[in-house]
Amino acid sequence: MSPLASPAWSSGRKVAFRFLLLYALLGLSGGLFLPWDVLADWITPRLLGRPLPVPVPTGSGDTLRQYVLAGLYLVAAGLGTLIWSAAEGRRDWTPRLGWPAHTALRFWVAYTLLLYGWSKLLLVQMPAPDFPDLLTPLGEMSPMGLLWRSVGFSALYERAGGLAEVVAGLLLLSRRTSLFGALLGAGVMAYVFLLNLSFDVPVKLFSAHLLLYCLLLLAPFWPRLWLFVTNRPVPPQVYPAGRGRARLAFLALAVLAVALLPAGLTALSAHASSPVGHNDLAGVYEVQTSAPGSAAWVRLALGEQLFAAEETGSPPWGRVALLRSDGTRLRGWYTSDRAARTLTLHFGALDRLFHSRSRDGALTLEDGSETLTLRPAADATLLRDRGFRWVNEQPFNR
């Protein structure tokens, strides 16, 4: 029998199981609807030494408040473990909860891996660098921006990582393949956690917990894995006999995990601003005719990807970047109207320009008092234009 299927649990294993189960329940359920948020909001400003700002969603999972919540969950799980251990005594509540808890955690991890895996397969989580990104010097990128652009640059690399997560998630949907799913998931999440540490991506807490959960899913198989690693005979895994109702419940959980994927992908796409179209004026342009002065335009980059506007009826928008002769760089957004042949740039203030394009790709912008002539800057788009090649007579590392 496997350790979790066997009633012969050691005292240490029981205590560890109770603590980890309670901690996971608190973390995955937001504190089991108890007033942990109130405590976190009371403790955090005292650690900061100043009042908390008005909460605005930033997408960061590594705020001080999140660490305070994790600490509160650890303390609560410890106290809950003491109470549980005293109440259980010689009863066998813990061994009977082993496999059901393993199954519930397995489906949650499977759903999460499938969600993030599909977002990478669809190139949603880390989109390819757009033309405005090419005007950002390497030294001005944040570590997270460098990672996002690097992974997004290679669709093959991003989809390979997504495929590994999807395969791990699918394997976790079945108990008989959960060993391979947990092994693959633990390997993938160890690499993701390392990337988050190396490039300061603010989901270190989340990825660390997901790695921990994958390792916990391996707990029933640790003795057999040790026998395999030490080159000794490995007995077959024995699972507890499932009842009809339990099997139906577990099947319903598996179906629910898959059915919730479209909603999760939609929410993730909205958070990541998934593009809804492309702009035919996109590119990096060298400004050849510009008014002299320190604020003269040198290069203008119009993003290729267009995103849906929040206001109904508003045109899609794209990203824009501007390099001036004094070295300053402006980042903003733009909208275009093909019928009226207008291009509206948003750099804090609105600049509505009329545009026309010649056969050689040059772009002319007019605002009534000034005419700008822009030509494609070929040297500024090498990263996108070079492409892949099997044969390289000389290394090209610039």
Side-chain angles (χ1 to χ4, degrees):
M1 299 288 286
S2 65
L4 284 181
S6 172
W9 283 36
S10 65
S11 299
R13 184 176 296 161
K14 288 182 178 180
V15 171
F17 173 82
R18 294 163 188 158
F19 176 79
L20 292 172
L21 176 61
L22 291 174
Y23 180 74
L25 284 174
L26 289 168
L28 296 179
S29 65
L32 290 177
F33 311 107
L34 296 176
W36 303 110
D37 290 337
V38 177
L39 280 175
D41 291 338
W42 184 83
I43 295 174
T44 305
R46 283 156 178 78
L47 294 177
L48 287 173
R50 54 181 171 81
L52 282 176
V54 178
V56 177
T58 62
S60 174
D62 290 338
T63 63
L64 179 59
R65 186 174 181 275
Q66 293 293 333
Y67 282 100
V68 170
L69 279 174
L72 290 174
Y73 294 160
L74 285 172
V75 173
L79 294 175
T81 300
L82 293 176
I83 297 172
W84 185 349
S85 300
E88 180 170 342
R90 295 184 178 181
R91 302 178 181 90
D92 60 348
W93 298 342
T94 300
R96 285 159 51 182
L97 282 174
W99 277 114
H102 184 271
T103 301
L105 182 62
R106 176 162 55 87
F107 287 137
W108 185 88
V109 173
Y111 169 77
T112 306
L113 290 175
L114 287 170
L115 176 63
Y116 281 93
W118 273 110
S119 71
K120 292 181 179 68
L121 286 175
L122 298 175
L123 304 181
V124 170
Q125 185 177 5
M126 299 173 181
D130 207 350
F131 289 109
D133 295 310
L134 304 183
L135 287 191
T136 304
L138 180 65
E140 294 183 11
M141 293 183 189
S142 66
M144 178 179 174
L146 176 61
L147 174 65
W148 240 244
R149 292 178 175 96
S150 299
V151 176
F153 169 77
S154 174
L156 175 62
Y157 181 81
E158 184 171 359
R159 282 176 170 147
L163 181 62
E165 292 177 341
V166 167
V167 171
L170 291 175
L171 290 173
L172 285 173
L173 291 177
S174 172
R175 178 183 287 175
R176 296 190 179 277
T177 57
S178 60
L179 168 60
F180 303 102
L183 283 171
L184 180 57
V188 170
M189 289 315 304
Y191 184 60
V192 170
F193 181 57
L194 178 63
L195 290 178
N196 292 338
L197 288 178
S198 303
F199 291 89
D200 194 27
V201 182
V203 283
K204 293 178 281 291
L205 264 178
F206 178 72
S207 57
H209 281 96
L210 200 52
L211 172 59
L212 172 65
Y213 297 151
C214 287
L215 294 176
L216 289 178
L217 292 177
L218 290 172
F221 311 106
W222 284 343
R224 298 174 66 250
L225 288 173
W226 177 250
L227 292 175
F228 175 78
V229 170
T230 56
N231 198 28
R232 287 185 285 176
V234 181
Q237 178 70 49
V238 179
Y239 298 100
R243 299 179 181 178
R245 293 182 179 178
R247 290 181 179 178
L248 288 176
F250 296 152
L251 179 61
L253 283 176
V255 172
L256 182 64
V258 176
L260 288 176
L261 279 179
L265 284 171
T266 301
L268 191 60
S269 299
H271 179 73
S273 296
S274 181
V276 296
H278 299 276
N279 178 29
D280 54 2
L281 297 178
V284 179
Y285 295 93
E286 196 85 31
V287 183
Q288 296 185 338
T289 306
S290 181
S294 61
W297 290 17
V298 177
R299 279 185 174 176
L300 180 71
L302 297 173
E304 180 181 24
Q305 299 169 347
L306 297 178
F307 306 95
E310 293 183 1
E311 297 181 5
T312 305
S314 299
W317 60 274
R319 295 167 56 221
V320 63
L322 173 65
L323 172 63
R324 289 175 168 173
S325 56
D326 60 0
T328 60
R329 291 176 175 82
L330 300 179
R331 297 177 178 87
W333 54 282
Y334 75 92
T335 58
S336 63
D337 188 335
R338 291 186 180 181
R341 304 186 70 80
T342 59
L343 184 70
T344 304
L345 306 180
H346 302 254
F347 292 113
L350 299 183
D351 288 325
R352 179 165 295 172
L353 307 170
F354 295 91
H355 67 80
S356 61
R357 195 167 194 172
S358 61
R359 293 182 179 179
D360 62 355
L363 187 64
T364 301
L365 301 179
E366 301 178 62
D367 66 352
S369 61
E370 183 181 0
T371 300
L372 300 177
T373 301
L374 295 77
R375 295 190 179 277
D379 63 322
T381 58
L382 174 64
L383 183 64
R384 288 174 56 110
D385 298 340
R386 176 171 170 80
F388 171 81
R389 57 200 66 190
W390 287 105
V391 178
N392 289 277
E393 300 297 343
Q394 295 290 338
F396 187 69
N397 186 5
R398 192 171 84 178

